[in-house]
Amino acid sequence: MKYVLILYMCSMVSGECPSNSISGYQFNNHYDCVVAGYKEAYNSFRSLEKMEELEKDYIEQEKLVIKFECKGLKVKNT
């Protein structure tokens, strides 16, 4: 099984995660995916302030967080 890393930007105020993206990273095991997920989630959160449309006050008001998932994909052996 292979794993892909999916990141979600969520508002803890609304409980919704309207934004998601597949990171493009593929892993051979769950462990490596999770380790990368924490790193990418942290880096993504830190970069939110650098986006012009997301000021720190908005991040605080909406209680924005970055969540991630390591989605398992069955791979056929050829």
Side-chain angles (χ1 to χ4, degrees):
M1 182 172 291
K2 298 281 186 180
Y3 294 87
V4 293
L5 178 60
I6 303 171
L7 299 168
Y8 302 90
M9 183 172 66
C10 303
S11 167
M12 300 310 288
V13 172
S14 70
E16 296 180 1
C17 301
S19 174
N20 68 34
S21 67
I22 296 175
S23 67
Y25 296 118
Q26 185 174 332
F27 302 90
N28 291 321
N29 60 64
H30 176 76
Y31 179 88
D32 290 342
C33 182
V34 171
V35 170
Y38 281 111
K39 290 178 186 176
E40 288 299 314
Y42 173 79
N43 290 335
S44 296
F45 182 79
R46 296 298 294 168
S47 69
L48 288 179
E49 287 181 320
K50 296 175 185 169
M51 298 174 70
E52 291 180 17
E53 64 271 11
L54 293 177
E55 295 180 1
K56 189 173 182 178
D57 289 340
Y58 180 77
I59 295 169
E60 182 67 29
Q61 176 185 344
E62 291 298 314
K63 306 291 188 259
L64 295 182
V65 298
I66 305 294
K67 294 183 178 184
F68 70 90
E69 171 185 17
C70 290
K71 184 86 170 173
L73 302 173
K74 292 182 181 179
V75 178
K76 292 182 182 181
N77 292 335
T78 55

